Amino acid sequence: MELYNGSQVETVSIGRAPRPASQTAENVTVVTAKDIEALNAHTLADVLNLVPGVQLEFIRTPGTVTNIFVQGSNYNHILVLIDNVPINNLADNFPDISSVTVQMIDRIEIVKGAASSSWGNALGGVINVITKNPQTERPTGGTASVSGGKAATIDGRGEVTGTVHDFGYYLTGGKLRSDGLEPNNGVDLNHFYGKVRYDLPNQGFLVATGWLSDNSQGQTQISEAGINANSDVTQYLATLSAQYPLTDRFTIDAMFRTRHLNSDVVYSIIDNGVAVQDTKDQEHSYGGVFKVSYLDDLQRLVAGVDYDYMSVHLSQPLRQADISRPSDDRIGVYLNDTFTLGRFAVTPSVRYDHSRISGNQFSPSFGITYALTDNSVVRGYTAKGYSITSLTRSDSLEDVWTSQVGIESADVPYLWLKGTLFRNETGDITHVNSLGVKSKQRQLKQGVEVEARTTPVFFTSLSLGYTYIDAKDRDTDAVLQNIPKHTLDLGVKYEDKHHLRLQLTGHYINWNLDTETDSQYRSIIWDLHLGKRFDLSENLSIELFGSIRNLFNGHQYDSSLFKNPGRWAEGGIRCAF
């Protein structure tokens, strides 16, 4: 067994350039397409729910709204990217992970802790969705799948990919719909992603991508008030990028990117469907990235600049009122370095950001790793970070100092271990008390994250992840509620040489609330996932798969408005050609 995906497997979400695991000082988790398939997952939320150090709120019908925490950092502190392009909205920096379907994902890289020295607006961490590249071995290949379950929950999707001469393509699309596993929690999500690549001489290339997500959903039902909350969200993202090696050591990258969002949240009366409140959010951003990379046997150096123009239009059509029409220019200049000295790797980085609305930010970071053996590494990392939590408020700038120390080892026979101590001291956090009064708060969130995984014995492996967070008001020492105190992830996985797979996962969160009058979270939620693949020829296979979710009908929610579904099952078929 090796470091998480092998000591020399490279991640791209740290330092804006590929870096081996043995030189990675930050706390990073990598999830692969194979991991995702084993979970019979529908959306990014399904996958992140089982990542140690990551906690999700509102796990309900697949494709419906979900909040995310990373080591206690709120959703508006987490930067979510698709191929290095942010998808957080501008109104409140919310990343809609439930609308990101999994078929297009090659892997997910999760950076826990401040990552502003590389990415700017990333106080609590980064989740980078790396999409699939065109298949290079054949001119045409692909998959098609459909699954169905309780409440007419249907997920149909397909992909086609290939390469002809210097031209490669990858296309995927589908539909996820459900009548809702809870009252007014249905979903109708249509999605498409496309990537085309043209190879240039000397190992350069051009890439164009496009992503479309159109999600109509019922968010919740407030039965005491007789109100339904529904939303309609359409997102579109497009990029055009190029990479070209100037020499064996110097490479230049350039990208144009644009993102557009239209969101409509409607509150209506349950009995007659009459709308009583309607909030529209229209957002547009245009920008670009340019960077230069230098790589040799001892050093990896990246210098670059990001620029984006962005605008928001918030309105309430029923009141015929414009709420806000802000715009902003944001530019960031960064320099990230990694150099090796024997068994040491040192990673100093710095970034300067300017926002026309929020002013200037300076984000340094420093990391160091020491390879104890070929498969054991000690890490240390400290960084200053920030997040702009809303484009519509001038007081939305929040900051953090992150410090981490950890060890990762695969030297114990049949066992991989990883442990991290973390301390995140945040400032200028907007806090709203029970009376709706806003104030600025300093918060301290510190704790430990532990992971363990065994190598397969008789085709069976075990996994465990545990996170403890001690969250307090820095000034009063009062305990911060509704920030997960304990998170536990358990797993048993079986996969034999006859392509039969079984995975049992258990997930528990303690939301650290004073009372449980409006919440229940004593249960471990167990899910069972099964699959059996039949190879019909070299390039043709069929797989039958299914899941029983919430196997023991447990309760795990922090608000009765967002109760988790009871036991439900689904099954499907997948054809690869």
Side-chain angles (χ1 to χ4, degrees), residues 359-422:
N360 303 324
Q361 288 296 308
F362 179 70
S363 304
S365 69
F366 181 80
I368 188 168
T369 67
Y370 178 74
L372 298 171
T373 69
D374 289 343
N375 282 310
S376 290
V377 62
V378 178
R379 299 185 170 99
Y381 175 73
T382 187
K384 184 177 184 291
Y386 77 94
S387 282
I388 300 172
T389 57
S390 175
L391 189 61
T392 62
R393 301 195 330 268
S394 59
D395 65 342
S396 65
L397 184 66
E398 302 176 356
D399 59 77
V400 69
W401 264 107
T402 288
S403 298
Q404 302 173 352
V405 62
I407 185 170
E408 182 179 352
S409 178
D411 281 329
V412 179
Y414 305 105
L415 186 64
W416 169 85
L417 296 166
K418 180 181 178 184
T420 304
L421 298 172
F422 59 87

Side-chain angles (χ1 to χ4, degrees), residues 2 9 14 23 37 60 69-70 132 148 154 158 234 261 295 298 373 379 390 392-393 478 490 504 522 539:
E2 297 179 303
V9 170
I14 310 156
Q23 299 177 12
E37 189 173 293
R60 310 181 78 211
F69 298 80
V70 174
K132 295 176 181 176
I154 299 172
T234 301
L261 177 142
L295 171 65
L298 299 177
T373 69
R379 299 185 170 99
S390 175
T392 62
R393 301 195 330 268
L490 302 170
L504 178 68
R522 296 181 182 273
N539 294 318

Side-chain angles (χ1 to χ4, degrees), residues 469-482:
I469 303 171
D470 178 33
K472 293 182 179 180
D473 185 310
R474 195 74 174 94
D475 297 317
T476 67
D477 211 35
V479 173
L480 299 176
Q481 295 190 39
N482 210 37

